[in-house]
Amino acid sequence: MILKNRIIATPTGDDFEEKAMGGAALVIAGHAIVEPGRSSFASPEEPYPFAKYEREETRKKVLKIHRGGAKASVEIFHAGQDARTVDYAKGPSALIRPDGVEVKEMDEEMMEETLRWYAETAASAKKIGFDSIFLHFGHGWLPAQFLSPHYNHRTDIYGGSIENRSRFPLRILETVRKAVGNNYPIDIRISAYEWIEDSISFEDVMYFLKKAEPYIDTVQISSGIDKIFEANVHCITTNLEEEMPNLKWAKQAKAELQIPVSVVSAVMTPAMADEIISKGYVDMVAFGRTLLADPYWPKKAMEGHPEDIVPCLRCSNCYHISSDHWNVGCSVNPRYHHQEFVPSEINLPKAETKKHVVILGGGPAGMKAAITASDRGHKVTIIEKQKELGGMLRFISKEAHKEEVQRLLDYYLTQIFKREIEVLLNTEADPELVKELQPDSLLIAFGAVERILPIPGVEGEKVQLATKAIAHPEQLGQNIVILGGGSIGCEIGLELAENGKNVTILELTDTLAANANSLYREALRQKFLLHENLHSLLKCGCSRIEEDVVIYKNESGEEKQLPYDQLILSTGLVAQRQLVESFYGICRDTVAIGDCVSPSNIMNANFEGYTAALNI
Ligand SMILES: Cc1cc2nc3c(=O)[nH]c(=O)nc-3n(C[C@H](O)[C@H](O)[C@H](O)COP(=O)(O)OP(=O)(O)OC[C@H]3O[C@@H](n4cnc5c(N)ncnc54)[C@H](O)[C@@H]3O)c2cc1C
Ligand SMILES: Cc1cc2nc3c(=O)[nH]c(=O)nc-3n(C[C@H](O)[C@H](O)[C@H](O)COP(=O)(O)O)c2cc1C
């Protein structure tokens, strides 16, 4: 199989068609269960993609990817002991799962049955037109369950040594190779490290890969375990983790194997991808969320316009599990997960009449609206009271671990600069000015303001707002108390602790970062554990701020005190409804967007900016 470039679109749900249009060479549709009724992780009824009445849909997946100009692959996936079954699941070792489902230790007969399904599924994938297959051997799924000492407690020839633990996974590969023949590409995904107790060692992974090499054509290096939350943050890393975390292992695999090696996870920019390929560290790069944020990433890179790529923030709002399905979306791509009602940026409906759109406030909501309205053919003016555009992004991008937000800010500023958008900086919007501009359409995007709780002593000199603390960390003393343990307070606390300060977070509720998605909360929890100088006091309310001590009440109502050099207020944001209302009545078409209506996040600001501009 010849690929047109070295970019693989790794499985991230069902939006593979646009990824193919965007220029990736190989698009992997994910996932196809191996064994009907026994291998799904979604539901016991998950359809088998090659069943008679599913084939037409599956064939469409192939054609959609081909239509976009990419080669098509499919992830072949067996959940093993974690299968959503109603009666029993099968895995390397017997157990009763927390949900009461029995996991049966696979005997020879069960193994044979599973192998038959692997053969059938692989052969069907080939027959239906996929150009290659991608076998999931990582993230704690069935083959990984056999490989990993965390799951495999057998004492027979399938357990114990790595030679034994490799035996069944190798039989899968042998079976699949036989089923698809020699001239058909087989790729596998493997976890180099599982990030749990009793994780498989990288040495063992390399042992297995060397044994697997005769059967496979390429391998993709990942890490972590999907089903175990602490380890899942390493499959799908947040911005709190380093970028390209799996590269160290992929490099070594590439050095020791003959077959091509790809790496996945947090490869963010074309420069990063170019570097690791040109240095010979890997042969191909696999992208997950970067292509959800911008499916046209490859084309933009290829055409020499990396500055037009919409950067992924690694917020993981796209990952259904982390939001518990409440609010799945992408911080920067309003279309992701909403394709049926949000048009693509490359396919924006042109405005029927050119209008003058005036936008008040140049934060993410205002900037996104400005770019979109301009692309639709409108004349756009932004009024911003600060000396720069960016809104809260100017502060967030100064924080540690927020390189992605800096990229987003750079992206917005570049895009505004590239268009004929009039920007009035250092200009506070007032109704008279807006009237003078005679807008046909007015978008209000003033953002929110930081909340100052009416606590005695809050006006004290040593009390600061979160944004001030972010902007001037050099002015902070050694002992810091943060009031409010939402994600903003936690991030500030983590950064200060990383810089050696003694930090205590006071939080009224029983959860830190309750507003964050669960994956991000877990990532923060793990980071907090690394710092002895970072403390949090839950269910504690601040009652008074004195010159050198903060007085708070703990869960039992006892009054306690904490000495401090600085107290940082991170107690939420408030909408600016009155200000917003004062701008209604000037222009018939007036809409308020983003935080000024209801404080939220970048995802909401971006979505509202985009859709408001679509409606003009
Ligand atoms: C410290 C902090 C950290 C955060 N971290 C994250 C994060 O990691 N991820 C995330 O998703 N969200 C985060 N948020 C929330 C996120 O920043 C906001 O939801 C988002 O910026 C809202 O966008 P917006 O455009 O509505 O408002 P803003 O970003 O607040 O922009 C509003 C703009 O309007 C301008 N303006 C206000 N009044 C006037 C006026 N009268 N005339 C002209 N201009 C005016 C302001 O100067 C500002 O530039 C954070 C918020 C804070 C405070
Ligand atoms: C929304 C979403 C869905 C995913 N679905 C799958 C899947 O079906 N199969 C799989 O092996 N990995 C899946 N993943 C993991 C990705 O393929 C990829 O390994 C991971 O996101 C890390 O790469 P990235 O940092 O480039 O996003 C998914 C990730 C996301 C964010």
Side-chain angles (χ1 to χ4, degrees), residues 417-432:
F417 183 70
K418 278 189 175 195
R419 290 159 176 81
E420 282 179 18
I421 294 172
E422 186 182 19
V423 182
L424 305 177
L425 295 174
N426 295 310
T427 310
E428 184 153 355
D430 69 63
E432 285 314 309

Side-chain angles (χ1 to χ4, degrees), residues 1 50 76 91 131 214 257-258 263 485 528:
M1 179 171 66
F50 306 107
I76 293 181
D131 304 289
L257 298 171
Q258 307 303 315
V263 68
F528 268 46

Side-chain angles (χ1 to χ4, degrees), residues 239 313 315 317 331 359-367 383-386 388-396 399 402 405 424 427-430 444-450 466-467 470 487-489 491-492 520 570 572-573 576 579 583 593-606:
N239 56 287
L313 300 188
C315 62
N317 290 339
S331 281
I359 299 172
L360 311 182
M367 291 189 292
I383 299 177
E384 167 56 53
K385 78 170 173 192
Q386 299 296 337
E388 289 164 312
L389 290 176
M392 285 299 176
L393 302 191
R394 290 185 305 123
F395 294 98
I396 309 169
E399 290 186 90
K402 297 281 182 175
V405 174
L424 305 177
T427 310
E428 184 153 355
D430 69 63
I444 306 170
F446 286 145
V449 289
E450 286 164 281
T467 47
I470 293 170
S487 51
I488 295 173
E491 286 167 354
I492 295 173
Y520 196 76
S570 179
L573 299 157
Q576 308 202 71
L579 180 68
F583 286 83
I593 55 176
D595 270 18
C596 66
V597 190
S598 174
S600 181
N601 55 21
I602 297 171
M603 180 165 92
N604 187 55
N606 191 61

